[in-house]
Amino acid sequence: MNLSKQDIIRLLSDEQNQEDLFRKADAVRKQYVGDEVHLRGLIEFSNICRNNCMYCGIRRDNSQLARYRMSENELIETAHRAADMGFKTIVMQSGEDVWFSRERMCRIVEAIKKFDVAITLSVGERDYDDYKAWFDAGADRYLMRIETTDKDLYHRLDPGMSWQHRHECLLALKEIGYELGSGIMVGLPEQSVESIAEDLLYLKEIGVDMAGIGPFIPHPQTPLKDAAGGTLDLARRTMAVMRLIMPDINIPATTAMESLHPMGRIWTLQSGANVVMPNVTEGEYRKLYELYPGKICVDDTPLHCKTCIGAKIMSIGRTIGQGYGGHAGKLPHRAH
Ligand code: 5AD
Ligand code: FES
């Protein structure tokens, strides 16, 4: 659907009629991507990060956080167990931890590819040749949020980073052939509704295959600890508008939504979303990957989460996707 910036701003601002927007987005979701909800097993494999984003709990300067990094084997074994549980996509996410060199990630991707899963990487900004090597090793998709398209805001919130560079990384990933996931946070300090509208048009412009939208939740061990944070309602309206403007892409019900309300992910699935990424990280690591406070499921096991979210999805009359769940049916590419 073609919505102008003004239309989007109106929809994002209209609290009174948000239920109409949610119903509309739900109908568009049903028409274009059906009732299947695709599950992705999310492995948070290192909380070590070279960056210092003002909003993020695993920022470099958070010295109160115990840091961890899975070994190659631990990561591969975690993925193996997730594949055995039935996940057809494994998402590997970490801070920007360059200990995971080009070669090491290639080895990991090649090993995990043997489990017959689609592989999504989410490890931040890297060289073109890293992205290319990982794709050739068998990685299928890449997630990296642009966070905001307001460049001044971005540079205030992500000191030492460059918006332009991040943008160029996204274009490179797409050019290489990855299915591209990006997205934003909603409710950042001094982020206007107009700016969120521009974010949505940006995601459409670069042609994302997946768009993750979540509320910003202030973390007590960051410089933004006293900020207001985003609301579930605005984040949901943003996600719903995304569904209207890109009707057939994958849109996750993000974990941050549920951190604000126990029904967060379910309501989001009922207002445009079609993907959930249950955490399959094991043991103490879950707690330590604390991007924001109040993260759900930190004391749960992978199996518990898969069963829990599976039951919730079925309770609202939806089904669990049995395929790889690529955008528009795109299949994983095989390693050469
Ligand atoms: N609140 C909500 N989301 C956050 N992220 C990082 N810190 C926070 C926070 N405090 C999001 C960013 C990042 C993704 C992995 O998590 O959008 O890209
Ligand atoms: Fe983790 Fe429900 S999804 S406990």
Side-chain angles (χ1 to χ4, degrees), residues 55-56 93 145 147 185 215-217 291-292:
Y55 44 81
C56 185
Q93 188 175 85
R145 290 186 177 172
E147 315 295 1
M185 279 179 289
F216 158 58
I217 305 175
L291 307 176
Y292 50 83

Side-chain angles (χ1 to χ4, degrees), residues 258 265 278 286 296-297 300 304-306 308-309 312:
E258 190 138 321
R265 285 181 301 178
R286 282 187 182 224
I296 56 168
C297 307
D300 296 309
H304 179 90
C305 285
K306 181 156 188 277
C308 162
I309 196 67
K312 286 185 184 175

Side-chain angles (χ1 to χ4, degrees), residues 17 47 56 65 87 138 172 182 191 218 223 247 255 265 314:
N17 299 304
N47 71 354
C56 185
L65 178 67
F87 286 102
S182 190
Q191 181 189 42
T255 308
R265 285 181 301 178
M314 292 193 296

Side-chain angles (χ1 to χ4, degrees), residues 154-206:
Y154 183 90
H155 292 127
R156 282 200 299 280
L157 294 180
D158 302 80
M161 296 175 74
S162 149
W163 188 91
Q164 186 62 27
H165 185 257
R166 198 169 188 80
H167 169 62
E168 284 162 12
C169 284
L170 292 173
L171 299 184
L173 288 160
K174 202 172 162 63
E175 189 255 316
I176 290 168
Y178 284 95
E179 274 192 69
L180 182 63
S182 190
I184 58 160
M185 279 179 289
V186 168
L188 293 166
E190 293 169 66
Q191 181 189 42
S192 62
V193 166
E194 177 177 7
S195 160
I196 298 173
E198 287 169 4
D199 296 344
L200 295 184
L201 291 170
Y202 169 85
L203 295 172
K204 179 165 177 161
E205 170 77 27
I206 65 169

Side-chain angles (χ1 to χ4, degrees), residues 242-274:
M242 189 75 226
R243 173 59 73 200
L244 299 187
I245 64 173
M246 295 190 83
D248 76 348
I249 61 168
N250 282 321
I251 302 185
T254 56
T255 308
M257 298 274 196
E258 190 138 321
S259 300
L260 293 185
H261 191 285
M263 292 295 284
R265 285 181 301 178
I266 291 303
W267 288 341
T268 306
L269 285 172
Q270 293 178 307
S271 43
N274 70 322

